[in-house]
Amino acid sequence: MPEFRAPTGTRDVLPPESARWARLIALFATLAEQAGYGLVVSPMFEDIGVFERVGESTDIVRKEMYDFQDKGDRHLALRPEGTASVVRAFIEHHPATPWKTYYVAPSFRYERPQAGRYRQHHQLGAEAIGTDDPGVDVEIITLLDRVYRAVGLRQRTLRLNSIGDATSRPAYIIALREHFGAHHDALSEQSKVTLRANPLRVLDSKRPEDASVIATAPRTIDYLSDEAAAHFDRVQSGLKAVDVPFVIDPLLVRGLDYYARTTFEFASDALDSAQNAIGGGGRYDGLAEQLGGSPTPGIGFGAGIERILLACDAEGVFGAPDSTVDVWVIDTTGGEQALALTHELRAAGVSADRSFDGRSMKSQMKAADRSGARIAVIVGSDELASSTVTVRDLRHTGAEGEPGQQAIPRQEVIDYVRKSL
Ligand code: HAM
């Protein structure tokens, strides 16, 4: 057992798994940029106040934050999610609106680790700040849907809800309090505590004892103001227009306090229901103001890379790409042939690798076979003397079952290899 391991709830992502990460991130960046979203890189930690405004009744703020005093006695916290940082940056830099951004960022939550739930997870996120046009709600949801399509996920459900705005919220909260008050004894102890801070959050409870009380609770969509209802209608018709299927889930309030109006979540139907959220988001029209800016609407999503890849595993799609090099250079001269040839091949755009430590021919050949390379370029003392190299095809054998190989003049080898790949 090694003395040190990755901290509980974190994991190393190594090749070949990491190659899938790189591909997923590149796919996401391409799709986001195609839709006019630009990359934002913001600090991994912020003044703790930035996240506290996300909501005191939010678990990730109340119980799960990695916070610390730095050497200058500032109270900071590692980012538990991306939206608050992006909105803080928006207020600080006042870019032109709509400000459409995307990010790929680690997030830290002191959760109880289990399959699909980590203390450091990584989100693909996008935020569109400065407009409440329902068209941008559709754009954001469609962008995320495209990511799933691009990796080949099929078994997914988009749940959609509107949780109302500042006008409709008070009446709804009163109705909720009445309902939970009338069934107070049936609620879990945890939900009784949550109820005091934010009755909406009780709807989020997954505790079995709360299920029947939640099932009969008043529904946000029955309390929408005319304006919020009209907005929600247009989000729905927009999604239908672009063929993104969804189901209305009147209980979808999501785990963060900043949401207003549109909320949504994608679930993978191939994953266990406890950790099947492969992405979600919604509007946060009041957040900029809560963070000290002028009132500015916004909407976005976050989608866990780990969860998306777990869903891919469950559906058998988007496997690790073949990341082997094309050429293996074998050098038994004891000189700099391997160094020079790999250098030249790479400069010509050919992926190439070699052995180190002056290994024997046999050992280098083994390494070449193990690598999965298609071609071996071999230089021994004979080749050196005749200014040639031997090019061996590692995937196809010749008539006698011998690997096909050929002597090529040293100056022509780069071109020859490039053409034969
Ligand atoms: P969230 O639902 O808390 O939303 O997280 C977004 C996604 O991150 C989840 O759907 C899930 O895929 C993944 N995720 C969350 N926690 C974990 C974890 N402990 N381990 C693995 N994956 C996890 C937000 O964070 C909002 N900022 C989304 C948003 C953006 N809303 C508006 N804009």
Side-chain angles (χ1 to χ4, degrees), residues 26-38 100 102 139 143 146:
L27 255 173
F28 173 55
T30 304
L31 293 170
E33 281 167 18
Q34 230 174 44
Y37 289 70
K100 306 206 301 185
Y102 74 95
E139 181 175 284
L143 172 57
R146 281 224 170 95

Side-chain angles (χ1 to χ4, degrees), residues 60 80-84 103 107 109 111 114 116-127 148 254-256 258-259 264-266 275-284 299-308:
I60 64 169
E81 60 101 45
T83 311
Y103 50 90
S107 303
R109 302 178 181 182
E111 302 203 77
Q114 48 189 279
R117 188 192 286 173
Y118 308 100
R119 290 188 175 164
Q120 174 176 337
H121 71 277
H122 299 77
Q123 285 188 16
L124 307 176
E127 313 289 347
Y148 302 132
R254 305 224 345 106
L256 296 147
Y258 51 57
Y259 289 115
F264 61 92
E265 204 158 272
F266 282 89
Q275 313 300 334
N276 68 354
I278 50 172
R283 283 210 155 270
Y284 43 85
I299 181 164
F301 66 73
I305 293 181
E306 293 84 350
R307 296 264 179 97
I308 294 175

Side-chain angles (χ1 to χ4, degrees), residues 148-229:
Y148 302 132
R149 280 174 202 250
V151 296
L153 286 179
R154 302 171 63 88
Q155 301 169 39
R156 62 182 190 283
T157 305
L158 165 60
R159 292 185 297 137
L160 183 71
N161 192 19
S162 173
I163 61 171
D165 54 18
T167 329
S168 61
R169 188 68 65 80
Y172 179 66
I173 298 288
I174 290 170
L176 256 193
R177 276 198 196 284
E178 270 171 15
H179 174 77
F180 288 134
H183 299 87
H184 197 257
D185 290 349
L187 287 175
S188 65
E189 288 310 310
Q190 180 56 49
S191 287
K192 286 175 188 160
V193 176
T194 311
L195 180 59
R196 263 174 260 142
N198 184 348
L200 262 185
R201 209 36 3 91
V202 176
L203 296 175
D204 231 14
S205 162
K206 302 275 186 295
R207 290 175 194 82
E209 58 270 43
D210 295 327
S212 62
V213 187
I214 290 173
T216 53
R219 300 155 17 127
T220 52
I221 42 177
D222 296 329
Y223 285 79
L224 298 183
S225 63
D226 290 349
E227 212 187 335

